[in-house]
Amino acid sequence: MKNDFNQMNFEKMGLYYKIMIIGSQNVGKTQILKRLCNEEFDDNYSPTFGMDFRIQKVYDEKSKLTVKVQIVEVSGKHQLPKELLNEYISDTDCFIAVYDISRIETLNELKNLLMEYQRIHSEKVQNWYFVGNKCDLKHREVSDNKIDNFKDIAIPLETIDFLEVSAKDNRNIDIMFNNCVFHEKNIKKWKINNDTMK
């Protein structure tokens, strides 16, 4: 991921974006985060306790915009109190919802998790990115027909983006992140806000 940025542009624009990474245990959320922020991968599984926070400043060459991104990874094993979740979800701009394409149960668990998040924050978050991790594996239990996989969830499909990635092989990780942050509708909104500030 390209981390260089124009500091003056950032200070002028003041752009900020918050992403929350969710999913069940051992789907690779931490490894995706390591790839995004440190360009690292660790074969040893170590569960996240509570939440993990990272800050990245990223620059998009096409739009000439720099954005400060806060990324929050939520543990898939240890249930967090609703009050704490509500506090951190309240200003989230986008969810990255991760499942393991080699384990169908992680997709089903994700759907249950989404119902909980929708109850907490349904009217505010309009951007969802569904990510099938571990596409480097030959064995798969989840179909690559992404629309069929999520036709029964209570989120409008037009607000959802899909991508399969491999944190291990570093496949599509940068594409996922850049598409998530520098989505066309985000750039349009930021440019409108910037024009009104002039």
Side-chain angles (χ1 to χ4, degrees), residues 180-192:
C180 181
V181 176
F182 295 106
H183 193 284
E184 182 180 347
K185 57 187 173 184
N186 291 339
I187 291 174
K188 183 177 180 180
K189 177 183 67 175
W190 292 331
K191 286 188 173 181
I192 290 174

Side-chain angles (χ1 to χ4, degrees), residues 37-81:
C37 300
N38 306 108
E39 298 182 1
E40 297 175 350
F41 179 84
D42 186 357
D43 276 315
N44 298 316
Y45 172 65
S46 179
T48 300
F49 293 89
M51 295 180 178
D52 189 10
F53 301 84
R54 306 288 177 95
I55 296 287
Q56 292 286 101
K57 291 177 182 177
V58 292
Y59 174 72
D60 178 53
E61 184 66 39
K62 183 178 179 180
S63 65
K64 306 299 183 188
L65 294 176
T66 300
V67 181
K68 184 176 183 181
V69 183
Q70 179 185 20
I71 310 170
V72 181
E73 178 204 350
V74 182
S75 170
K77 181 177 181 180
H78 304 279
Q79 192 70 25
L80 296 171

